[in-house]
């Protein structure tokens, strides 16, 4: 089922001045329910603009954004409710923390929704569990947490609104490997628990290969590729031409095939490669 | 004699309640002139503290024991004068994580000139150094630009140029690629490599990215304030268990080959890069 | 977003832009003083023409200049009108007498003079200092002009450095403010509706992160500056030293000619004088 449809959307910054910059040019994509969609592209490819369109922070200059088949800008006054249904986690979200305690900060979104206190508490605890934040952190000041914990608290603040679509812009940027994994695991748990459509923006092809079902490749403000993981990664030469590269494992598989080894080209993660290669080696020992 | 010589370093901060928080424990380390060293470790392992100590930019500490010697100068000595510290900072430069927070001026070349200006060099000398530094990082054509309009990778290269212009022997990169996109990371890592290979600078890079560490001559893994592993990249990545214990990831291809080895498949050869891994697999399979 | 204009700097690349900024500060002050020397119709006409000449030399569109003095227009008219009514001249200058309101010809003159003086002072300073000089050039120039004050232990260098850093960080912090606002909007914050106190309260989730981030940036910047051997203005040299060139000499000579013109007209020109 399609959750969000982006139809022929375009956007230009500083339109009509000499500084005019095209951010999105006739972009059409579809985001499915129960699916993790990855958006890949260079800095300046229009990703950030697109991400802020899903929840109505940026209004398209032409084209439409449909949420469950309805144009979100049909009634501009009710754009606020769209922001609760489509949760957006911006880059480095820990810089938005401001309350005295972690629990109050995570409650900020649900409170703005006008939920009653019991429901807020329930959602906050649920969100903490999803992102893997210990409950004894809740009474601390958000500024006393470690970098990775702050990030998780900020993501929990959006999850606590229980959005039907969760959009995350570079959720793991700047974290160490352990921190990265815990963030992505939390996102996956949210997707599994709620069936929400999840959209992840990332530079890392390896993370994309590991977590995403569908992929959108943006290049020079246009959709260069859109399809499932297999469809996109099979066009590895084009990806390299855009300068994005392919997952490291896919690169390894390409090298093996070049050497005449019969291995399926549709392998993107360590686990998949391990299984395939073990089979080639006769199932290991 | 080693360029950097650290002996039995114990170091602790004061936390908010004023209790000591141990960061480095009995750490000893030698780094030679011209080495290219990557320091790995998860957040809070003590690696950034170590870097900052080498430049004496930590003020609020609780406890400091052991010795640090740089280029024959005992920098941990209590007799260090302000002028000694100044001399030290001329020798060891530092590039930080967030490029926005280390650029001082509103014009690229004036920012690069900031260090040499502080050194009180004559105008012609500053000019020459600024031009040279911008050339090395490949930003000559941007000399009159405003830094805030540049990309992350470009800003970080300006920050590097600002350090190069002071002509240090050694440059420490404290997670300088963490906030950059892959293109920016590539720009910065290539610059590091060039500074080491062509200009003979000692490079110490602190990073989370294994694919960056692979490019160094030597990798040091720090966990809980101690050095856990120290050796060539290929030696380090062969010790998969230890790496994972320290909360770090292996490069994906190395990880794959180690998992295959754990299944009992014999794979001999280097496993640092995808190319080496492919070579190693092909050799065993096509034997 | 990236095109935040600081002040009103207008890069038309004229000769005026290339003058030494120290010189421009001095010229601006001299110009203001000279506008007070004028005392008769002829010298005021010369003053007015000089302002027009400044606009033409600096190649700033007249429209841009006029738009920027719109706000000052009110003060100009207000002072002028006050002068018309308040000036008491000799009986032979009396033009209109209507109850307590008496208007003298000298009042009309004075009003026109004051209006021209304010107009020219504004045009003069903005042409010299804001339209043709970047804030950073001004900071540099002020540091050098005020450097004799260092003898009195006034931290001239430190003030200039503070100004430079402020200028450098304004775009960064504006950008950050927008980001934080978007992030809080995504969590349902509403900055545009409700009473004034409600709106003020809605800014807390923006201001707190902004301040915290500013402190963090300040700390990191201080460390980075320390690492680059910064220890105040002592012993520091500069890459770009301001230089007095033949252009500046021409500027000085033109100003001198202008001053003598005003003085001569003041002494020898006929008619009403202030």
């Amino acid at each position: 089922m399609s959750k969000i449809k982006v139809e022929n959307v375009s956007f230009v910054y500083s339109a009509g001045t000499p500084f005019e910059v095209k951010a999105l040019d006739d972009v059409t994509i579809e985001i499915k329910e129960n699916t993790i969609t990855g958006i890949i592209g260079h800095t300046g490819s229009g990703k950030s603009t697109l991400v802020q369109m899903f929840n109505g922070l940026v209004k398209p200059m032409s084209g439409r954004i449909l949420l469950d088949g309805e144009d979100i800008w049909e009634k501009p006054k009710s754009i606020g409710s769209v922001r609760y249904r489509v949760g957006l986690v911006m880059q480095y979200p820990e810089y938005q923390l401001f309350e005295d305690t972690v629990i109050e900060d995570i409650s900020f979104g649900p409170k703005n929704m006008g939920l009653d206190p019991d429901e807020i508490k329930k959602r906050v605890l649920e969100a903490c569990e999803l992102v893997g934040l210990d409950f004894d952190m809740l009474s601390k000041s958000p500024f006393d947490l470690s970098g990775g914990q702050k990030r998780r608290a900020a993501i929990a603040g959006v999850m606590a609104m229980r959005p039907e679509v969760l959009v995350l812009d570079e959720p793991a940027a700047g974290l160490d490997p352990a921190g990265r994994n815990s963030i992505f695991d939390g996102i996956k748990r949210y997707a599994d628990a709620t069936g929400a459509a999840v959209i992840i923006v990332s530079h890392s092809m390896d993370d994309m290969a590991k977590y995403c079902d569908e992929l959108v490749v943006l290049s020079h403000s246009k959709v260069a590729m859109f399809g499932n993981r297999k469809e996109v990664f099979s066009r590895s030469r084009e990806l390299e031409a855009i300068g994005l590269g392919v997952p490291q494992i896919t690169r390894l598989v390409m090298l093996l095939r070049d050497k005449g080894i019969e291995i399926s080209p549709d392998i993107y993660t360590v686990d998949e490669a391990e299984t395939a290669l073990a089979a080639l080696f006769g199932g290991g020992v | 004699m080693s360029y950097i010589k650290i002996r039995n370093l114990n170091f602790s901060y004061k936390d908010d309640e004023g209790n000591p928080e141990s960061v480095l424990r009995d750490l000893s380390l030698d780094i030679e002139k011209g080495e290219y060293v990557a320091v790995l470790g998860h957040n809070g392992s003590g690696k950034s503290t170590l870097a900052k100590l080498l430049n004496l930019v930590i003020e609020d500490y609780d406890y400091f024991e052991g010795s640090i010697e740089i280029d024959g100068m005992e920098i941990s000595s209590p007799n260090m004068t302000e002028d000694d510290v100044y001399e030290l900072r001329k020798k060891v430069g530092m590039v930080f994580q967030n490029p926005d927070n280390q650029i001082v001026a509103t014009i690229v070349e004036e920012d690069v000139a900031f260090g040499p200006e502080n050194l009180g060099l004559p105008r012609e000398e500053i000019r020459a150094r600024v031009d040279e530094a911008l050339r090395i990082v490949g930003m000559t054509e941007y000399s009159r630009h405003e830094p805030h309009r540049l990309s992350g990778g470009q800003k970080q290269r300006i920050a590097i140029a600002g350090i190069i212009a002071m002509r240090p022997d050694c440059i420490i990169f404290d997670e300088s690629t963490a906030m950059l996109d892959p293109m920016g990371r590539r720009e910065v890592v290539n610059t590091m490599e060039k500074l080491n290979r062509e200009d003979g600078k000692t490079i110490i890079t602190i990073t989370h990215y294994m694919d960056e560490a692979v490019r160094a001559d030597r990798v040091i893994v720090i966990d809980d304030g101690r050095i856990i592993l120290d050796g060539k990249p290929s030696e380090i990545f062969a010790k998969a268990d230890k790496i994972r214990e320290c909360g770090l990831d292996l490069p994906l291809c190395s990880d794959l080959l180690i998992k295959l080895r754990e299944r009992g498949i014999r794979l001999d050869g280097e496993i640092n890069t995808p190319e080496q891994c492919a070579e190693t697999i092909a050799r065993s399979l096509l034997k | 977003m990236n095109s935040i204009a600081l002040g009103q700097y207008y890069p038309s690349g004229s000769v005026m832009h290339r003058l030494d900024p120290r010189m421009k500060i001095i010229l601006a002050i001299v110009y203001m003083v000279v506008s007070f020397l004028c005392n008769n119709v002829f010298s005021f006409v010369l003053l007015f023409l000089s302002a027009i000449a400044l606009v033409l030399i600096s190649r700033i569109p007249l429209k841009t200049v006029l738009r920027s003095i719109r706000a000052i227009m009110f003060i100009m008219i207000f002072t002028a009108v006050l002068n018309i009514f308040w000036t008491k001249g000799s009986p032979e200058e009396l033009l209109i007498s209507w109850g307590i309101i008496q208007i003298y010809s000298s009042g009309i003159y004075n009003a026109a003079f004051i209006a021209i003086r304010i107009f020219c002072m504004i045009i003069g300073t903005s042409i010299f200092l804001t339209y043709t000089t970047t804030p950073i050039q001004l900071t540099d120039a002020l540091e050098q002009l005020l450097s004799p004050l260092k003898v009195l232990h006034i931290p001239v260098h430190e003030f200039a450095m503070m100004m430079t850093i402020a200028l450098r960080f304004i775009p960064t912090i504006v950008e950050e403010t927008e980001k934080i606002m978007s992030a809080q909007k995504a969590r349902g914050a509403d900055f545009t509706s409700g009473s004034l106190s409600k709106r003020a309260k809605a800014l807390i989730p923006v201001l707190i992160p902004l301040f915290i981030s500013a402190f963090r940036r300040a700390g990191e910047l201080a460390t980075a500056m320390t690492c680059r051997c910064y220890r105040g203005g002592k012993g520091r040299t500069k890459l770009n030293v301001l230089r007095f060139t033949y252009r500046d000499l021409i500027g000085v000579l033109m100003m001198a000619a202008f001053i003598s013109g005003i003085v001569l007209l003041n002494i020898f020109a006929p008619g009403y004088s202030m």
Side-chain angles (χ1 to χ4, degrees), chain A residues 172-187:
Chain A
L175 296 179
D176 63 3
R180 292 182 79 83
N181 292 338
S182 90
I183 294 286
F184 278 114
D185 291 344
I187 296 168

Side-chain angles (χ1 to χ4, degrees), chain A residues 3-13 21-29 31 39 45-67 70-74 79-90 165 167-169 199 201 218 221 223, chain C residues 182 186:
Chain A
K3 186 73 190 171
I4 292 189
K5 259 191 190 156
V6 175
E7 282 182 353
N8 311 101
V9 161
S10 299
F11 192 83
V12 181
Y13 283 103
V21 186
K22 232 183 221 170
L24 292 172
D25 187 4
D26 196 21
V27 167
T28 299
I29 54 169
I31 307 292
I39 300 181
S45 62
K47 288 179 304 183
S48 295
T49 311
L50 180 60
V51 159
Q52 296 190 52
M53 280 184 175
F54 292 128
N55 76 340
L57 278 176
V58 175
K59 190 179 175 184
M61 286 185 169
S62 62
R64 299 193 300 167
I65 311 272
L66 304 176
L67 177 62
E70 280 173 49
D71 187 347
I72 63 168
W73 287 101
E74 186 79 47
I79 198 72
S81 66
V82 172
R83 298 201 180 133
Y84 300 130
R85 293 174 65 197
V86 181
L88 170 63
V89 180
M90 310 248 298
V165 182
V167 188
L168 304 107
D169 192 354
I199 302 169
V201 176
L218 286 181
S221 327
V223 177
Chain C
S182 295

Side-chain angles (χ1 to χ4, degrees), chain A residues 210-247:
Chain A
K210 200 163 160 193
Y211 296 102
C212 297
D213 312 300
E214 298 261 316
L215 288 170
V216 179
V217 178
L218 286 181
S219 176
H220 300 292
S221 327
K222 287 183 195 288
V223 177
M225 295 177 207
F226 172 48
N228 64 32
R229 212 168 56 144
K230 188 173 154 181
E231 286 162 352
V232 170
F233 286 138
S234 64
R235 296 160 73 178
S236 52
R237 309 269 175 225
E238 280 171 73
L239 282 170
E240 282 181 340
I242 298 175
L244 289 168
V246 291

